[in-house]
Amino acid sequence: MKRAILFAMIGFLILGWCMTGKDLVEKPAYFHKLISEAEKYESEKIYVRAIKSYKEALTYQPNSVEIKTKIAVDYLALGDESSFINRCNSINEEHGYPVSVATLLTDYFIEKGRNEKAIAVLQPAMKKHKNNEELLQRYEKIKYTYADMYLSYDQILPFRNDSAVYIHNGKYGLIDAKGKTKVREKNEWMGALSSGRDAAPACLDGEFFYVDDNGYRIEVPRQDQQVEELGVLCNDAAPAKINGKYGYVNVKFEEQSPFEWDDATVIQTGFGAVCKGEKWALLDKSYHLITDYIYDDVKTDAYGYCSISGRAFVKSGNAYRMVNEKGETVGELLFQDAVPFVSEEPTAVQIGDKWGFVSLDGQLVIEPQYENAGAFANGLAPVETLSGWGYINQSNELVIEDEYTEACSFYKGIAPVKKGNRWTVISLNVK
């Protein structure tokens, strides 16, 4: 009995080995038959049958990136672009963005003009495959592409503190850093949001007040305060003209400094500037003078800032020079005009009748050659050529065509531009 059982077990083992051996021979043969069928169907453009054969072959090699890619490509050949995209995305997520699939999908998006989608594929692929030349080439090709937010206003000022003032039919409002309306145009005047993003100065019917980020009035002056000008709040202090003189108030209109000046800037990075008569002096955040009243002018931006990056441009005689927060001269260059820095990147200066760029240390980094220009931010700067306004990178290459009537500096990847007589906002695909 035991011997019979033993022989039976040996028989089953032999049968199993025979069947396994048969599978080892037959399965690869059938797999290759399916691949050959699929390729034949592809040559005949019968993509439905090709996909079916590839899918069956995939059951034998479920981790085959090559077969999965062939199925995706055949879906595209069928005109089923959604299935092509979904299958490429699935391969990328499952297999760590193979270069062949990442470039395949990227090229498709570029051809369709969907550069933002191409960037969304390239960025994670480049993290997986650092310094891959194929990925880098495609990234360089589209990294300065952008989308139009299709706004249409009479004017849009530069972005500051995640907001920008826009003007429409003579009224002022605010948009946010996504181009969406925060405060509809109803005020006679507005400034940007505060550094805390929670209050903005506004004027309606000749009265100045502060509104929140929804445009609702939150603070008003005292009855004895005749407010004639009101600035942007920075660290809860804003320049204001009250009863004929400038000083500084907080959001509640409580006076933070003497009111003895004829003009004043926002105080940022520890200093600002104030004017008495026709002369300007630098002022620290405690409202003490850093310098005497020795300057003929101090450059400010559209919102009254002069020192966003710890540098200011001051004028003595016929020329401007760069100074730091101590009033010390930075660099040896003199300028006919200058644009305040908006970041630590270079800004625009006029030397002679042309505009170039200087760094924070006062060194000329791009020779004067443009009709006009603005400050660098996000690696780009607006410049005016004889054709119009466009954007250069820090290698002085025109990377956004000079097709605009006017253009502002970028802020977190977005910038107001004027085309014809209307303003809109463009958004870089690579932020």
Side-chain angles (χ1 to χ4, degrees), residues 144 146 383 385 387-392 398-404 407 426:
Y144 294 121
Y146 60 92
V383 295
T385 69
S387 300
W389 284 83
Y391 291 85
I392 59 170
L398 189 69
V399 294
I400 294 180
E401 289 300 316
D402 46 354
E403 60 182 5
Y404 297 106
I426 58 174

Side-chain angles (χ1 to χ4, degrees), residues 237-350:
K241 186 178 183 182
I242 297 178
N243 300 328
K245 287 294 183 180
Y246 278 87
Y248 291 85
V249 296
N250 62 19
V251 70
K252 296 181 179 296
F253 287 91
E254 296 169 337
E255 297 175 6
Q256 305 296 295
S257 74
F259 274 71
E260 60 184 37
W261 296 295
D262 297 310
D263 207 344
T265 74
V266 176
I267 296 176
Q268 169 81 349
T269 59
F271 77 106
V274 289
C275 177
K276 272 192 176 182
E278 297 182 355
K279 292 293 185 177
W280 287 81
L282 299 185
L283 187 80
D284 68 20
K285 61 183 179 180
S286 298
Y287 314 110
H288 299 136
L289 293 184
I290 298 171
T291 69
D292 290 331
Y293 296 95
I294 55 176
Y295 307 122
D296 297 311
D297 189 30
V298 176
K299 295 298 296 185
T300 58
D301 67 8
Y303 299 114
Y305 287 78
C306 71
S307 60
I308 289 177
S309 298
R311 298 287 187 271
F313 290 98
V314 297
K315 187 176 185 180
S316 299
N318 296 321
Y320 288 91
R321 56 190 171 89
M322 189 191 303
V323 295
N324 62 19
E325 71 281 0
K326 296 179 181 179
E328 299 168 336
T329 298
V330 179
E332 299 178 354
L333 295 173
L334 298 177
F335 317 106
Q336 275 64 59
D337 205 349
V339 174
F341 287 93
V342 298
S343 70
E344 293 187 354
E345 299 176 49
T347 193
V349 291
Q350 184 182 13

Side-chain angles (χ1 to χ4, degrees), residues 120-169:
V121 175
L122 280 174
Q123 287 181 325
M126 291 170 69
K127 287 182 180 179
K128 294 284 187 180
H129 309 284
K130 296 185 184 301
N131 301 319
N132 180 273
E133 191 61 33
E134 289 185 78
L135 298 173
L136 285 170
Q137 285 176 354
R138 288 164 173 81
Y139 183 77
E140 288 297 322
K141 181 179 179 180
I142 62 174
K143 77 176 189 177
Y144 294 121
T145 58
Y146 60 92
D148 191 328
M149 291 185 177
Y150 295 107
L151 304 177
S152 181
Y153 296 121
D154 298 333
Q155 187 173 0
I156 304 176
L157 301 184
F159 279 87
R160 180 64 41 76
N161 302 332
D162 297 332
S163 65
V165 171
Y166 74 90
I167 306 170
H168 189 61
N169 294 328

